[in-house]
Amino acid sequence: MSTIPDTEFSDLATIDWRNESLSYAQLKAHLPRPEMNTQTATETVQAIIDDVRARGMQTLTDLAKRFDHVDLDHTRVPQHELDRALEELDPQVRLALEESIDRARVFAAAQRPQDTEVNYANGAAVTQRWVAVRRVGLYVPGGLAVYPSSVIMNTVPAQAAGVASLALASPPQKEFGGLPHPTILAAAKLLGIDEVHAMGGAQAVAAFAYGVEVENDERGGIEPVDVISGPGNVFVATAKRLVKGVVGIDAEAGPTEIAILADENADPSFVAADMISQAEHDANAAAVLITDSVQLAGSVRGELVKKVAATKHSDRVLQALSGTQSAIILVKDLDQGIEVCNAYAAEHLEIMVADPEATATRITAAGAIFVGPYAPVSLGDYCAGSNHVLPTNGTALHASGLNVNTFLKAIQVINYNKAALGDVAAHVINLANAEDLPAHGDAVAVRNA
């Protein structure tokens, strides 16, 4: 295990805004963000998408060999492998997954919106019905960690929405004979998913978006989906962006991030532990502390020196904390700290101040808010009942975390009889003429002749 010297965390940047009065635009322009070459990713991913569309399963198996170093002739995971994975799952892990599933299902069930109907005069009615999409592709990443929790977070809201067909993709693993990690398979089985594919990256997104036809094979191909959800690396996020419109997507989720708004009352040990917990995801993960206390900032640095040296993935954590995406931001007071938080729009925002509940009500942009010292992000990752698939890289300014509505569409139903149409016929005709679309008015006039 590597040892981190006391001077190492001078690389965790300090941004001092205590004497600055920055506009919203200035805040956004100077916030710490990851440096990412999206142009290169776009070119690479578009080539993969085109190849999947042209060659189908052959491309998927070729890329599994190239990227994952496994030999496959098909992506579909046999049912007996799902059964075996659940049978061999550690009982304590199973209990934890079941608790996470139960809590997530309660919260998801409460989210489903109600249909609405408005009745006007003379039999005029307008209704909005919420209808689940037909089929969903769920993506669960592999790479540096194993994410059975992401199986839960993707699946439960889709099931609560009433989606009839669910397919899950996760990268094949060489050490498991070309199958996804067995804990991923076990979680899928627990949730009742029987269609699981050993495929990862941009090629999995392309396969879900466009489908893959396979002739003369009892395992069949991959039917196109209507929505793709789930986190992933820059190539997965780029692929989702490129197929958006062909299918719906939950979000272009990039590297994970945490922001912590803390004052002198915060425990520096808690703050440091939570920054490290996100930084261990990968070298591009972001950890940002926003505080009006210079003393807390210094204490957190001291805790980071000790804790990073002791954590399992210390090298990875150090890279993340030393990157352009991580920093300690000094603000003059809580009000400025809230302004910074709302401009940053963190995926995960922890609030550790004297009155965290009141402060949380002033936050207008965040994927999820964790209130007080005993609600760490890792709670939300697993067992809070909330969803951990959240908008990143500032997209929480306009986007929401994964929820039941992600898998629903609103259909408006207009039901007017002749009398009801007659009540508004003149208005329709006048507006149609004002827009120089007289045939629109004629379509009403012919019914009221």
Side-chain angles (χ1 to χ4, degrees):
M1 187 175 293
S2 60
T3 301
I4 309 299
D6 286 358
T7 58
E8 193 74 29
F9 277 97
S10 62
D11 289 337
L12 175 61
T14 296
I15 301 173
D16 192 346
W17 283 337
R18 287 174 295 171
N19 297 315
E20 304 285 345
S21 295
L22 301 175
S23 69
Y24 178 76
Q26 289 171 325
L27 283 176
K28 286 190 67 178
H30 294 96
L31 286 165
R33 296 293 187 193
E35 294 179 346
M36 301 181 72
N37 186 347
T38 56
Q39 181 176 352
T40 300
T42 298
E43 294 170 356
T44 301
V45 168
Q46 187 62 62
I48 290 173
I49 291 173
D50 293 343
D51 200 25
V52 170
R53 295 187 70 182
R55 299 194 303 126
M57 190 63 67
Q58 185 62 54
T59 296
L60 297 178
T61 57
D62 287 351
L63 293 180
K65 186 174 184 65
R66 175 182 168 190
F67 294 133
D68 305 302
H69 312 293
V70 299
D71 291 313
L72 300 177
D73 61 358
H74 200 285
T75 61
R76 185 72 179 259
V77 176
Q79 289 301 305
H80 69 267
E81 294 290 356
L82 298 174
D83 295 336
R84 182 167 70 123
L86 184 56
E87 290 169 3
E88 296 178 357
L89 182 64
D90 182 321
Q92 295 303 310
V93 175
R94 177 168 182 160
L95 285 173
L97 289 174
E98 288 173 339
E99 180 68 21
S100 180
I101 291 168
D102 289 345
R103 287 175 180 257
R105 279 181 169 156
V106 171
F107 188 50
Q111 295 171 18
R112 203 183 198 289
Q114 298 297 310
D115 293 351
T116 56
E117 181 175 343
V118 173
N119 291 288
Y120 301 98
N122 291 327
V126 179
T127 302
Q128 180 166 278
R129 292 193 291 115
W130 290 97
V131 179
V133 300
R134 178 189 57 89
R135 176 169 160 84
V136 169
L138 311 173
Y139 186 80
V140 178
L144 297 175
V146 183
Y147 296 104
S149 56
S150 288
V151 181
I152 297 169
M153 301 298 171
N154 279 277
T155 304
V156 168
Q159 290 177 331
V163 177
S165 176
L166 296 174
L168 185 145
S170 192
Q173 307 287 320
K174 183 176 182 180
E175 57 268 46
F176 299 109
L179 298 174
H181 194 284
T183 311
I184 300 295
L185 301 182
K189 183 67 178 180
L190 269 177
L191 287 156
I193 297 177
D194 59 11
E195 184 182 345
V196 179
H197 294 273
M199 58 184 185
Q203 59 270 29
V205 175
F208 277 153
Y210 294 101
V212 174
E213 293 186 4
V214 176
E215 297 180 1
N216 303 319
D217 190 317
E218 62 182 11
R219 292 166 294 187
I222 302 171
E223 186 182 2
V225 304
D226 298 327
V227 171
I228 298 173
S229 73
N233 61 20
V234 64
F235 296 102
V236 171
T238 300
K240 288 168 71 177
R241 182 175 73 250
L242 292 175
V243 302
K244 184 179 180 181
V246 176
V247 295
I249 64 171
D250 55 340
E252 297 174 31
T256 191
E257 61 197 23
I258 182 174
I260 302 172
L261 178 62
D263 62 14
E264 62 184 4
N265 300 287
D267 187 323
S269 178
F270 291 5
V271 174
D274 294 350
M275 294 176 75
I276 290 170
S277 73
Q278 291 307 111
E280 76 172 342
H281 276 281
D282 65 63
N284 292 313
V288 176
L289 169 62
I290 303 162
T291 183
D292 60 356
S293 172
V294 175
Q295 181 178 355
L296 176 70
S299 298
V300 168
R301 285 186 182 276
E303 288 291 332
L304 287 172
V305 169
K306 294 184 292 184
K307 292 183 185 299
V308 171
T311 196
K312 179 179 180 180
H313 304 296
S314 59
D315 291 339
R316 190 189 308 162
V317 169
L318 181 58
Q319 279 186 278
L321 294 177
S322 301
T324 60
Q325 71 274 15
S326 298
I328 294 176
I329 300 177
L330 296 175
V331 293
K332 59 189 173 186
D333 54 28
L334 181 62
D335 288 341
Q336 188 184 32
I338 291 171
E339 289 178 3
V340 173
C341 288
N342 285 331
Y344 184 69
E347 177 189 20
H348 310 97
L349 174 63
E350 292 186 356
I351 298 179
M352 299 190 201
V353 298
D355 191 348
E357 290 85 0
T359 302
T361 65
R362 299 175 62 189
I363 300 299
T364 58
I369 303 171
F370 298 81
V371 182
Y374 296 101
V377 168
S378 50
L379 172 65
D381 284 341
Y382 301 115
C383 279
S386 57
N387 202 293
H388 78 203
V389 182
L390 301 167
T392 64
N393 200 33
T395 57
L397 290 169
H398 55 79
S400 305
L402 193 65
N403 63 82
V404 170
N405 286 320
T406 305
F407 306 105
L408 294 170
K409 53 193 175 185
I411 298 176
Q412 297 180 10
V413 181
I414 297 88
N415 188 348
Y416 272 53
N417 59 28
K418 185 173 183 178
L421 178 61
D423 288 342
V424 295
H427 299 308
V428 174
I429 293 168
N430 289 335
L431 288 172
N433 289 334
E435 294 188 350
D436 193 25
L437 297 170
H440 282 58
D442 292 345
V444 170
V446 72
R447 289 170 165 78
N448 282 275

